[in-house]
Each structure stands twice: as structure tokens, then as C-alpha cells.
Amino acid sequence: MTPIRDFPPGAAVSVLTPDMPLRALDYLAPEGGVATGAWVVVPLGRREVVGVVWGAGTGGFDPARLKAIGAVLDAPPMRDELRQFLTRAADYTLTPLPAMLRLATRVPGLADPPQMRRLIRATGTLPARTTEARTRVLGVLAELGGAGLPQADLCRAAGVGAAVLKTLVAQGVLAEGEVPRDLPYPRLDPGSGGRALSPDQSAAAAVLREGVRQGGYGTTLLKGVTGSGKTEVYLDAVAEVLERGRQALVLLPEIALTADFLARVEARFGALPGEWHSGVTPAERRRLWRMTAEGGVGLVVGARSALFLPFRDLALIVVDEEHDTSYKQEEGVLYNARDMAVLRGAMAGAQVVLASATPSLESWANAQAGRYRRLDLTARFGAAELPDMQAVDLRAAKLPSNHWIAPALQQAITARIARGEQSLLFLNRRGYAPVTICRACGQQIGCEHCDARMVEHRFQKRLVCHQCGASKPIPEACPSCGVEGRLAAIGPGVERMAEEAAELWPEARVKVLSSDLYSSARALKEDIAAIAEGGADIIVGTQIVAKGHNFPKLTLVGVVDADLGLQGSDLRAAERTFQLMRQVAGRAGRAERPGLALLQTHQPDHPVIRAILSGDEEGFWQAEAQARQAAGMPPYGRLAGIILSSTEAQPPYDLGADLARRDGPLRAVGAEVWGPAPAPIARVRGRHRVRLLVKAPKGAPLQAAISAWLAQVAVPSSVRLAVDIDPQSFL
Ligand code: ADP
Ligand code: ZN
């Protein structure tokens, strides 16, 4: 098949590369011509870089001085749909297009030609004489059913030396052959492992299937309590996609979740999907990137960056746990993968499913307004019931100092241990204690690079800054006054809760689940699997336990401090607390045993706590929506954050003040600007940070106004300016 040559040799074409600062540059089409979307190598300064032919030359460059495209790569051209998506995403997030393209080119060996690799497979001929080693080799290959393995892998798997293989090849028992390195993924069988759906599951699945069948764009909010079968339902829509030979993408917020999920996909469709996240090997990443473009993979499961894969025929995007804050990328290109999934769906003409037990207010409001379809699964599947939720009033509990487990919670855990059931102590605070104070001088130990306290991590025997990651050994003497032995840990972290649990239940197996205690996603996955099988009596965990893990023996959730999230002045404090508490409580009683959630609080009458306990979700959302509407806050108004930072304190502040004075372009669209103000964490990694906040009415052309506004000033080279459209974090 000869590709369409849009541009004849010598024509000026515009090439975009991730290495250009702001926009595409013009080059001359090479011998043989070149098509729009083609991957090419072009000279840039003294380097050769990989880029994409974006379209016709833009002109404005002296044609006599244009350089020629060096080579056209043997890779599937970028489709119009992806180019449009990147353009729109760049416009929306006010990101330069080259930086947006970088997200779509995070693939190792993009410029390398397709590679072959040597595999050994069985021919079916039997060896002249069987030995144990030979039997093992043939056993390993038989399990793969004809697929073959590289020599080194086969030696390892069979526990034999290369000589054994060599003999078998000589005898014709094994054959060596070359196959492309980037092979298509095993076909998923849409019909194989489907379960009988309950009536409301099948009603929801029918609507999603119909959407896929009709094709075209549409977004559905799939809301259902944890355990109601949302996954089961959207996998049914995936089956519809597979039946049509098209492609589906499922985004998950946490790599640690994928293990569980992959196993489910395998059980449902008879083979594993393509996987895309930071833990995947470079060779697999390259293979998956190519196969999405060539149609050699039907289902991809990935982290948010999977949104930028070059799918050939994307029919469905699922964003699971759509409310999860980790979908917002807070460094580099600031984008929200949930919103970008909707944009990609619109560009690709694909169905988008946002699944959650506790949707974001944004998605809830979009469904209310009729922009999204809404499907509700109300009952938990089978016998499992939502846990009973009760408050434990900490004002009445007389706790000894440095203890945080109230008697009511203590009794409940004791009862679980006696019955051989698991309990979860939830506290969203990593480390041993959030504050270390000197009892002699009263000073707290802070980070040298940030305006943040150092957090004691006793397992690691270090103080760690949660902003920049800096750490140091826990000192003997106070760094401020030099007095020894008077440093004291104040307040609880998960490590300290584990200590209290071990003290109260010396016989119990206590396990801490906190992201910093794991060096790899794999180690975390393994521990989660072991715990799910009953490898702990008490789990002490941060929010990583809130995310979809299945612990069948877990029947009690104790929230150590339900007030924690309510203290901040964050716009979404109430929403987040509501979501997190309900998610965590949803961990209990997933199997046949009923669960109980106990929320320790000093404010049992706080409206948010009352809404959590009563389970009146719609009531909570209505109230929250009204409050936001009255204040003109998202999703009923729009926000953008401007973060200015520098190693010196004054320049960002001066620039911020200058911007605040020149607010004409903002006022012209009805927007206002607040600030400059020092960011709540005013110094991170040695950089001083100043924030401005732009607030605009819902329909205002916010991005255009901000561009015009920022264009008025020259940003000094010592200052970094970042624009955060729809900010989630205000730190
Ligand atoms: P959610 O995604 O809403 O949390 P899941 O799809 O994970 O819910 O379902 C919760 C549990 O119930 C899982 O263990 C799942 O295998 C089981 N389950 C859900 N629906 C069915 C069904 N129709 N038949 C059998 N098991 C089901
Ligand atoms: Zn720091």
C-alpha cells in the first residue's frame, strides 16, 4: 500500500517537533514527497529531531533558506483526529503545541526501524531421547501454545543451559525463527467470559452498547456505589467495541489498581489487554504505541498519558474513578485527563464513560444540565450491603495523650479480630507524625528549601519534606537551639497508628499501606494481593487504600480523623471529604459479610459529616451546587491560576503586581483577577511562589482573554510563569 503523498518533493511543509519552543517550522518535502501526519526526522540547529508533518508550509520563512526533511520514518502517520485533539488541548490548557506533542511522542525508539527478534518454538518432532531438562523445555513451550520465546527467556523459564536448546535445534525438535518485535496483541474474545448481569446492570449495559453501536461522540456518567458492578457494565460496552473490531481505552487512576483489573479482563475476554504506564518496559511501550496505530490491539488499560496514544479506531474511552484528583497532572503540561478524555472522545467520535461511586461535582452538574447522559446502579451486586456508617464523637472519648483510637472503635476492632475479619484504620497522612517540635525552644523542624514542615518517617529513620522530597536523618539535637533529646513528635501519621494498633492488639498482624513505603508499584501490588487473601488483621492506610482495591475479608473501616479534610479553605474541601469518606467506607463488606464504617470526629453535626452518615448524596450535591453557584465558582464559573516562581522573592511579586494592574483584557470579558499573593506554600524547592487567580463567568472566552492579558508583559528570564486552567490544587 503506497501512502498518499500530500506534498511533492521540494514543497514547503510545516513540521512540528516537541523540541521547538513555541510553534511549527517550515521544511522542504524530501525526495518522494511526504504526507500530512508523517513522522519525519528534521535538522534543528545542530541536532536531528523527530517531528510530525503538520500541514502546508506556513510561509513567513525565506524559501531559499529552508532545510529539507532528512528522512520519513516507517511509522503509521498521525491521524487528523489526533492532530486536532492536540491542537484543541493546547488551546484549552494554554500550552504551546510542541509541549502538547511531547505527550504524544513519549515512546522509546520511535525513530527506529521495525525490529525483528529471534524466537525459539517447538516443531512437534519428539526428541530422540527424553531427559528431565528437555521435558521442561517442551513443557514451557507447550504452555505458550506455539508462540515461541527468545533463547534467554526460554533458558530461564525451563531452568536449562543454552547447550540443551542447541542440541534440540540440531535434532529438529526446536526451530529458531525471526518475528517482528512489535507483534499484535492476542485477540480478546468478546463472547467468552461475560457474566449474567442483574436487571439494572443490563439496562445500563444496553444503553452503553447502543451508544457504541450507533458510533459517534457521547459522554455518559456511570454512577454506582462501590461494588454495584460498574466495571462489569463498562466491560460489557468494551465487548461491543471488540465485536466491531474497534478499539477501547480504559483509564485507571492508580497503577497499583491495574493488577486486579488485568486479571479481570483476562477472565472476561480470555487474554490480557495492552498496558500503558510508567512501569511498562520500553520495548512493550514501543510495541503498544505501534499497535494502537496499526489496530493490533483492541483494549488498552493505562494511566492518563494513554490518552495521547495514536489509536487507529477509538470507539470508547472509560475513565474509571473519574473524580480522582490524580487525573489532574500538576507538573509540566497542566491538564485534567478526565476533561481531555471527553475532548478526545469528541474529536475521535467515540463514546466516553465516566465511572464513579462519588462523581466530581463537575460531572454531576454536566449530567444535571443534560450535557452528559447519566446511568445509575443503585444496589450492590449480590448480597453485599453498603456499610452501616456511624460517627464516633471524639469530644466524649477520653483518650490518653498520643492515642487516637477511641473506645468504640477499639471494641469494634477487637470483635473483628475475634471473628477472623479484617479492619482498616484510615488516615490520610503519610509518615509517623506530621510535626516535630522542640520542647526546649518551641521551634518546628522545617524544610530548608520549602515553607513546609519536615515529616518524621520512623521506618526510614528520616525527616522528609512532602513538598520537595528532601530528607535528613532525625537529629538528636534541635537544629534551632541545639538542646538534645527534647524533640517531640506531634500528631499521628499512619506509622504512628500502626504503633498504637500493635500496642492495643499485640497478637494482631498489622500492615501499613502507604505509597512511600514501597519502592515499586509491583511491591505494592504484591502486598495488596497478600492482604486481600487475609495476610493482615489490621490495615493502616492512606488514601491509596481508598481506590478500588478489593479486600473480601474487610468488614470494618475506622476513619481516624474524619475532620482532616474539612479544615482547609480549599474550594473542594467538602466535596473531597465527602468522596473520600464514602470511598473508604465502601471498602468494607464487599463480599457477603456486612460492613461497618466508624468516623471519628469532633464535629458530628457538621453538614458534610451528616451528609456522609445519612448517605443523602443527592441532597449533598444539591447543597454543594447551590453554594458554588451563589459564589460563581466552578462548575458554575471558571477559574484559572497563574503561578509565578523564581529563586528570588521580589521578581515574581513585581510581575504579578504588574499583571494585576493591567487587567483590562480580563475585565473586557467580565473576568476579575485576585492577587498577587504568596502561594500557601510560598517556597518549594528553593523557588519563591506567587499566585494570581482569575475568575470568570461560565461562558466567558477565558483562554483568549488570558492570552491577551499575558501578552502585555515580558516575563523576565528569571521568572517561570505557569497557567493552570480549572485548577484543582491551590497550593
Ligand atoms: P464496581 O466497579 O461498581 O465497584 P464491580 O464491577 O467491581 O463493581 O463489582 C463488584 C463485585 O461484584 C466484583 O467482585 C464483581 O466480580 C461482582 N459482580 C458484579 N456484577 C456481577 C455479575 N453480574 N455477576 C457476577 N458477579 C458480579
Ligand atoms: Zn522541601
Side-chain angles (χ1 to χ4, degrees):
M1 193 181 68
T2 39
I4 311 154
R5 299 297 189 196
D6 286 343
F7 301 103
V13 297
S14 155
V15 175
L16 184 72
T17 83
D19 308 82
M20 292 162 179
L22 286 174
R23 60 192 198 94
L25 297 177
D26 283 1
Y27 288 87
L28 300 176
E31 205 171 307
V34 72
T36 302
W39 291 92
V40 294
V41 176
V42 292
L44 183 72
R46 291 192 191 157
R47 290 185 302 156
E48 300 257 281
V49 297
V50 172
V52 177
V53 175
W54 213 250
T58 47
F61 301 97
D62 177 2
R65 300 187 57 186
L66 290 188
K67 292 183 185 155
I69 287 173
V72 181
L73 298 177
D74 182 6
M78 185 184 283
R79 302 176 61 252
D80 273 0
E81 171 258 308
L82 182 51
R83 282 186 297 120
Q84 275 168 25
F85 168 60
L86 294 176
T87 308
R88 293 279 297 268
D91 290 347
Y92 188 86
T93 56
L94 288 176
T95 303
L97 200 46
M100 214 69 214
L101 178 66
R102 195 169 306 137
L103 297 177
T105 51
R106 286 227 181 105
V107 51
L110 174 60
D112 301 346
Q115 287 166 12
M116 305 295 284
R117 62 177 181 169
R118 296 182 73 76
L119 293 187
I120 299 182
R121 52 181 184 78
T123 59
T125 310
L126 290 177
R129 188 174 56 81
T130 47
T131 65
E132 239 177 75
R134 291 175 182 183
T135 310
R136 282 203 302 274
V137 170
L138 291 176
V140 166
L141 289 173
E143 253 176 49
L144 295 171
L149 270 183
Q151 176 175 310
D153 295 356
L154 183 53
C155 285
R156 202 173 321 119
V160 303
V164 176
L165 302 186
K166 211 169 161 193
T167 316
L168 289 174
V169 170
Q171 292 181 3
V173 176
L174 301 182
E176 271 187 286
E178 299 239 301
V179 293
R181 198 170 267 284
D182 302 326
L183 281 177
Y185 286 74
R187 201 161 277 287
L188 303 190
D189 177 2
S192 77
R195 285 166 159 156
L197 299 180
S198 70
D200 65 335
Q201 288 176 347
S202 40
V207 175
L208 295 184
R209 273 187 182 260
E210 184 55 27
V212 172
R213 229 174 274 138
Q214 294 199 340
Y217 163 75
T219 295
T220 305
L221 173 61
L222 176 61
K223 180 182 171 312
V225 292
T226 319
S228 59
K230 294 181 295 298
T231 313
E232 215 58 44
V233 167
Y234 72 66
L235 284 181
D236 204 54
V238 170
E240 182 74 36
V241 171
L242 296 171
E243 276 163 31
R244 290 167 186 272
R246 304 185 64 196
Q247 294 174 305
L249 166 65
V250 174
L251 296 182
L252 300 178
E254 190 82 25
I255 319 173
L257 286 180
T258 52
D260 232 11
F261 187 80
L262 295 178
R264 252 177 111 165
V265 168
E266 195 174 18
R268 173 78 173 79
F269 298 120
L272 288 169
E275 231 186 305
W276 181 270
H277 51 73
S278 55
V280 175
T281 63
E284 260 321 279
R285 293 249 296 272
R286 180 188 139 100
R287 173 185 176 205
L288 185 67
W289 190 88
R290 286 215 163 228
M291 288 307 119
T292 52
E294 290 175 14
V297 61
L299 171 61
V300 174
V301 176
R304 59 186 176 218
S305 58
L307 263 185
F308 297 89
L309 285 168
F311 290 96
R312 192 179 74 172
D313 188 16
L314 191 56
L316 173 69
I317 306 174
V318 177
V319 184
D320 202 354
E321 312 278 353
E322 68 92 35
H323 62 278
D324 198 289
T325 50
S326 73
Y327 280 123
K328 177 69 189 281
Q329 171 145 314
E330 299 284 8
E331 259 167 37
V333 179
L334 307 177
Y335 70 93
N336 189 323
R338 184 235 304 148
D339 300 340
M340 292 302 116
V342 172
L343 180 62
R344 179 99 197 240
M347 297 291 109
Q351 292 287 309
V352 181
V353 174
L354 308 177
S356 175
T358 51
S360 58
L361 190 65
E362 274 81 358
S363 298
W364 181 85
N366 275 324
Q368 289 290 99
R371 278 185 291 275
Y372 297 170
R373 197 188 286 130
R374 175 167 163 179
L375 296 172
D376 281 57
L377 299 175
T378 43
R380 278 190 149 186
F381 183 76
E385 294 282 326
L386 256 193
D388 184 17
M389 298 209 220
Q390 293 166 18
V392 173
D393 190 343
L394 286 177
R395 293 170 306 186
K398 303 265 178 304
L399 284 167
S401 71
N402 291 339
H403 284 71
W404 290 274
I405 300 175
L409 179 54
Q410 193 179 326
Q411 282 153 22
I413 294 177
T414 303
R416 295 303 176 294
I417 295 174
R419 294 208 295 265
E421 297 172 359
Q422 289 177 323
S423 306
L424 164 67
L425 282 172
F426 174 78
L427 178 64
N428 205 8
R429 259 189 190 153
R430 292 179 285 137
Y432 184 80
V435 180
T436 303
I437 195 169
C438 171
R439 293 230 186 268
C441 72
Q443 289 281 344
Q444 300 177 1
I445 300 190
C447 175
E448 286 161 30
H449 317 286
C450 308
D451 282 348
R453 299 179 187 120
M454 297 291 268
V455 177
E456 178 178 350
H457 285 243
R458 199 160 277 191
F459 289 165
Q460 293 157 15
K461 302 195 176 58
R462 294 185 85 79
L463 293 169
V464 180
C465 170
H466 286 183
Q467 290 308 315
C468 71
S471 74
K472 59 184 178 195
I474 301 169
E476 270 299 308
C478 169
S480 300
C481 69
V483 174
E484 277 186 35
R486 301 295 306 277
L487 291 175
I490 307 292
V494 278
E495 293 177 9
R496 198 169 199 177
M497 292 312 301
E499 200 174 85
E500 185 174 346
E503 181 187 305
L504 289 171
W505 300 282
E507 308 293 307
R509 295 163 304 159
V510 179
K511 188 82 205 168
V512 179
L513 273 182
S514 174
S515 55
D516 56 297
L517 298 175
Y518 292 89
S519 53
S520 71
R522 170 179 306 209
L524 174 60
K525 277 186 214 171
E526 283 169 5
D527 258 18
I528 286 175
I531 292 170
E533 277 169 21
D537 302 308
I538 300 172
I539 308 158
V540 185
T542 61
Q543 60 168 1
I544 59 169
V545 301
K547 299 183 180 180
H549 308 296
N550 220 334
F551 299 118
K553 296 199 168 76
L554 184 73
T555 59
L556 174 71
V557 169
V559 176
V560 175
D561 186 352
D563 307 335
L564 202 54
L566 294 174
Q567 293 156 358
S569 56
D570 192 318
L571 165 69
R572 295 183 177 82
E575 182 187 348
R576 294 257 164 82
T577 302
F578 183 78
Q579 287 165 339
L580 191 58
M581 292 301 112
R582 289 193 62 96
Q583 292 278 340
V584 171
R587 296 300 115 212
R590 273 176 71 112
E592 274 64 47
R593 304 178 232 205
L596 172 66
L598 295 178
L599 276 60
Q600 301 200 124
T601 173
H602 286 97
Q603 321 167 58
D605 293 324
H606 191 290
V608 175
I609 301 288
R610 294 221 326 236
I612 295 166
L613 295 176
S614 71
D616 178 13
E617 293 180 72
E618 291 302 320
F620 173 78
W621 270 312
Q622 300 281 8
E624 189 61 17
Q626 265 168 26
R628 299 257 192 108
Q629 206 152 13
M633 283 296 187
Y636 304 98
R638 302 201 56 197
L639 292 179
I642 311 290
I643 306 108
L644 304 167
S645 68
S646 170
T647 50
E648 280 158 81
Q650 201 56 32
Y653 192 83
D654 291 344
L655 180 62
D658 191 19
L659 279 169
R661 269 192 303 275
R662 302 172 189 240
D663 63 351
L666 297 177
R667 279 214 307 239
V669 301
E672 48 187 333
V673 58
W674 294 334
I681 300 174
R683 201 167 53 107
V684 175
R685 292 188 178 89
R687 297 183 71 87
H688 297 266
R689 301 161 77 242
V690 165
R691 291 191 69 110
L692 295 139
L693 189 66
V694 177
K695 184 178 166 216
K698 178 122 183 108
L702 179 64
Q703 282 86 346
I706 289 179
S707 297
W709 173 52
L710 295 178
Q712 300 175 104
V713 299
V715 181
S717 60
S718 65
V719 177
R720 215 178 282 156
L721 182 152
V723 183
D724 187 3
I725 302 288
D726 308 334
Q728 292 283 323
S729 159
F730 297 86
L731 297 177

